[in-house]
């Protein structure tokens, strides 16, 4: 797949690492082109010969999957700015609308989610999928925690888009867990709020823990 990642931070690097491990091509775009180039170079050091390069926003037209690897407020700006260029695309929202000053509340109404608000802001025909919001960047680069592959929870209303994201996840060595429609993004954002808050404690896990479903 052709994976277009908006963002050049740690989460962009972690998701790109998994996409490249799965044999996909990756294009990176950010507000600072120099940062996209720096990240692409770092990814090539991790995986020499990988198909990864910086890009410009107009290149989104060739993408199979668009990952919004930016905070929630920035993601709203991106879907608005890109507009019709996202129509028909599988667009992945990884954000968590968290009050980062306290880590004790979500910043969206209790009957909604960040992902649902992005879907409403996006152009008609955009297939919004929630995924990667419960994973931390360092664990994504490693691909595992405690010897177990990461679970990546996936929510979306379009079955084909969910399947496409699940393929991206599994090909990168992770375990896709499809939880259902986009309305379940609320639960995913809520559980990650707790997960993030635990990291801020004196005995926290250094942003390297993972949420996983374990069954016999």
């Amino acid at each position: 797949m052709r994976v277009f990642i908006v963002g050049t931070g740690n989460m962009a690097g972690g998701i790109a690492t998994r996409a490249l491990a799965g044999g996909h091509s990756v294009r990176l775009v950010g507000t600072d082109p120099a940062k996209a180039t720096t990240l692409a170079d770092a990814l090539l050091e991790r995986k020499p010969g990988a198909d990864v390069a910086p890009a410009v926003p107009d290149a989104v037209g060739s993408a199979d999957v668009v990952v919004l690897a930016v905070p929630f407020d920035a993601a709203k700006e991106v879907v608005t700015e890109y507009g019709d260029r996202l129509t028909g695309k599988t667009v992945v929202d990884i954000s968590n609308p968290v009050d980062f000053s306290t880590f004790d509340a979500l910043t969206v109404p209790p009957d909604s989610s960040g992902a649902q608000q992005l879907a409403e802001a996006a152009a008609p025909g955009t297939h919004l999928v929630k995924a990667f919001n419960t994973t931390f960047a360092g664990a994504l680069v490693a691909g595992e925690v405690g010897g177990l592959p990461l679970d990546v929870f996936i929510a979306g209303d379009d079955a084909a888009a969910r399947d496409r994201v699940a393929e991206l996840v599994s090909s990168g060595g992770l375990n896709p867990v499809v939880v259902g429609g986009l309305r379940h993004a609320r639960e995913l954002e809520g559980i990650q709020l707790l997960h993030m808050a635990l990291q801020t404690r004196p005995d926290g896990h250094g942003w390297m823990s993972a949420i996983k479903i374990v069954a016999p």
Side-chain angles (χ1 to χ4, degrees):
M1 285 184 282
R2 296 179 295 269
V3 182
F4 187 91
I5 300 179
V6 181
T8 56
N10 291 335
M11 282 297 293
I15 294 169
T17 297
R18 290 299 105 212
L20 294 173
H24 308 290
S25 65
V26 172
R27 296 295 178 265
L28 303 163
V29 64
T31 54
D32 183 349
K35 290 184 178 180
T37 298
T38 298
L39 179 55
D41 290 344
L43 290 164
L44 281 169
E45 289 183 7
R46 292 179 192 169
K47 190 173 179 61
D51 186 0
V52 56
V56 295
D58 285 345
V60 72
S62 64
D64 296 307
V65 176
V66 179
V67 180
L68 306 179
V70 293
F72 173 58
D73 288 340
K76 287 191 290 186
E77 294 177 3
V78 170
V79 297
T80 300
E81 176 187 344
Y82 279 47
D84 292 343
R85 287 180 288 182
L86 298 180
T87 298
K89 301 291 184 185
T90 296
V91 178
V92 181
D93 165 39
I94 77 163
S95 70
N96 290 290
V98 170
D99 182 345
F100 289 99
S101 67
T102 61
F103 285 100
D104 67 356
L106 296 175
T107 60
V108 292
D111 60 348
S112 184
S113 67
Q116 287 170 296
Q117 291 194 5
L118 291 181
E120 292 170 0
T126 301
H127 304 308
L128 208 293
V129 177
K130 191 78 177 184
F132 293 106
N133 77 296
T134 62
T135 55
F136 295 134
L140 278 169
V141 172
E144 63 178 31
V145 171
L148 298 174
L150 300 182
D151 281 355
V152 176
F153 299 93
I154 300 168
D157 292 335
D158 185 87
R162 290 197 309 257
D163 290 346
R164 191 169 293 114
V165 176
E167 179 186 349
L168 175 65
V169 169
S170 62
S171 65
L174 310 181
N175 181 44
V177 181
V178 178
V179 302
L182 197 62
R183 67 185 183 278
H184 292 299
R186 175 72 189 189
E187 289 80 33
L188 297 183
E189 293 169 2
I191 195 172
Q192 183 63 0
L193 169 63
L194 174 60
H195 191 203
M196 295 169 76
L198 292 174
Q199 309 305 308
T200 66
R201 295 182 176 183
D203 58 348
H205 306 294
W207 304 93
M208 284 296 294
S209 59
I211 298 171
K212 188 166 185 65
I213 303 297
V214 179

